[in-house]
Amino acid sequence: MKNIRSGEFQRAALGIAEKDLRTEFRRSYEILSILSFSVGSILICSLAWSGSGGGGATDPEVAGAALWVILFFSSILVFTTSFTREADRGTLGGLKTLPCSSLAILSGKIIYGTALLFFVECVLIPFSIIFLNLELGTRFPALLLVCFLGAIGLSFAGSFVSGLVMFSEGKTLLLSFLLIPVCMPVLIPSVMATKKIVSGSGISEVMPELRLLIAFLFLITAIMVLTFEFVLEE
């Protein structure tokens, strides 16, 4: 019985994520706007760094902070079209009538957000290496792992906050303000881990930061399990 319910939960979550991803890529101008913002921001950071007299590779602290600030603002663009789009279009009622739990709906949104953010990261990281003159070498997989865990953390936080504000007036502005404190437990260890990797550290040296990211995922998962059913019904 548990296996059947688990299978239904997974199918519902994956179905919702697939529906959202198809909608997003069908409206390709939204994806292009997020990618344009990300790549353009990295280019501006590169020009600002070279204009200030910095030569060679970008300072690791600057590179880590720039990468994650850009990813954070990209996540705002992603999650303004998560639950808020369902509320604006009146399709939220259809989601509520699906034969699945509210957590399955939230999980679908999290999978959608993670996939979209990781796609943005896969485009942004090569441009960051080029424009910021980063020398990663064999540490590139470690950076990908940090970015993937960071994308999951941002997606958990962004999807939950998007659900909280979807019935509010000025939801887009409110989402931006609420995401800043909620995402700090993701951004701080992600910036620190990225700085270490760019400085030459391997995966073993960034394990404390990765443990912080995983601890945040457990914490916000517990909060969502306890509260999201009431959030969706409001």
Side-chain angles (χ1 to χ4, degrees):
M1 188 67 170
K2 289 183 179 180
N3 290 335
I4 294 175
R5 289 180 178 176
S6 176
E8 291 175 350
F9 183 95
Q10 293 173 5
R11 283 194 296 273
L14 290 174
I16 292 170
E18 181 184 4
K19 182 265 296 181
D20 283 349
L21 287 171
R22 284 185 176 181
T23 302
E24 199 69 42
F25 282 97
R26 194 176 297 128
R27 297 156 53 93
S28 57
Y29 62 88
E30 292 186 356
I31 293 289
L32 290 175
S33 66
I34 296 173
L35 293 177
S36 299
F37 166 78
S38 303
V39 175
S41 299
I42 280 291
L43 179 57
I44 291 172
C45 289
S46 173
L47 293 174
W49 173 254
S50 60
S52 63
T58 306
D59 184 87
E61 292 184 359
V62 175
L67 180 62
W68 283 100
V69 166
I70 292 169
L71 285 173
F72 171 72
F73 283 104
S74 298
S75 71
I76 293 177
L77 298 177
V78 170
F79 295 116
T80 50
T81 60
S82 185
F83 280 104
T84 54
R85 179 166 55 192
E86 305 284 358
D88 291 340
R89 293 184 177 180
T91 56
L92 187 63
L95 280 181
K96 291 181 180 180
T97 60
L98 292 176
C100 64
S101 66
S102 57
L103 285 178
I105 297 173
L106 179 59
S107 298
K109 297 294 185 181
I110 290 172
I111 295 171
Y112 151 77
T114 302
L116 208 54
L117 279 179
F118 193 62
F119 174 72
V120 172
E121 287 175 346
C122 288
V123 175
L124 181 60
I125 291 173
F127 279 96
S128 301
I129 294 173
I130 295 170
F131 290 141
L132 301 180
N133 298 317
L134 304 182
E135 297 178 0
L136 295 176
T138 57
R139 302 187 304 277
F140 183 72
L143 180 61
L144 272 184
L145 176 61
V146 170
C147 287
F148 182 64
L149 284 177
I152 295 175
L154 289 176
S155 184
F156 268 69
S159 299
F160 184 62
V161 173
S162 181
L164 285 176
V165 304
M166 62 181 165
F167 297 115
S168 306
E169 293 185 12
K171 56 181 72 71
T172 302
L173 184 61
L174 190 58
L175 175 72
S176 305
F177 281 125
L178 289 178
L179 271 181
I180 293 174
V182 174
C183 289
M184 278 301 163
V186 178
L187 294 174
I188 292 174
S190 297
V191 170
M192 293 171 62
T194 303
K195 171 195 168 185
K196 287 183 178 181
I197 292 171
V198 174
S199 300
S201 301
I203 191 68
S204 58
E205 285 83 0
V206 298
M207 286 305 298
E209 287 78 16
L210 297 183
R211 283 194 286 267
L212 283 175
L213 287 172
I214 293 171
F216 171 76
L217 292 180
F218 280 114
L219 175 62
I220 197 169
T221 298
I223 294 173
M224 290 188 301
V225 168
L226 294 173
T227 62
F228 193 74
E229 183 177 356
F230 304 102
V231 171
L232 197 62
E233 293 302 322
E234 287 298 326

